[in-house]
Amino acid sequence: MADSYLLTGLTLPQGVAHESLPGTVTLFVSDCWPGMSRTQMIARAKRRGLRLSFRATARCPSGVTGVFELRFNDGAVECLMLARLQRVGNSSGGNRRTRRADVSRPPARDPRQTRLF
């Protein structure tokens, strides 16, 4: 089974203002949390009507955090963000289905917390 990738952080490329992001991308970013899997990110993007693609900027060995380009496309506009994803090796050794309890859950939100941007 392939290694999984877990989100450790999102950022914008240098020179890009967060005000220039489309509203759907801003909402997607506010839905993300540290420890979220790459698969969960793709599913959330689809729910928001976005197509999301990942591209590694360099090779990333297992257990190391790498930088990936995230390209969002909603059919009209394309934008770019950078994500830090940690490559986590599959320690089970067997062909095991992921149980619902194994999936990363979003953290509890504080109602006083402001938006990410």
Side-chain angles (χ1 to χ4, degrees), residues 11-61:
T11 188
L12 291 170
Q14 196 169 16
V16 177
H18 68 272
E19 293 88 10
S20 67
L21 292 176
T24 52
V25 174
T26 303
L27 291 171
F28 167 79
V29 170
S30 68
D31 286 346
C32 294
W33 65 89
M36 181 180 207
S37 72
R38 181 177 163 265
T39 306
Q40 288 172 319
M41 291 176 71
I42 291 170
R44 295 253 174 171
K46 281 183 182 178
R47 275 190 247 147
R48 296 257 180 222
L50 296 168
R51 282 181 286 156
L52 177 62
S53 66
F54 290 85
R55 175 191 239 163
T57 58
R59 289 188 56 90
C60 173

Side-chain angles (χ1 to χ4, degrees), residues 76-116:
V77 178
E78 182 176 300
C79 67
L80 171 73
M81 290 187 77
L82 300 174
R84 293 196 179 279
L85 299 174
Q86 181 180 13
R87 184 176 178 183
V88 180
N90 182 12
S91 61
S92 66
N95 190 5
R96 173 185 84 112
R97 289 183 165 240
T98 303
R99 294 185 325 220
R100 198 165 223 356
D102 294 342
V103 177
S104 173
R105 299 281 180 217
R109 301 274 179 168
D110 185 346
R112 299 170 294 170
Q113 187 179 25
T114 59
R115 291 182 9 178
L116 183 59

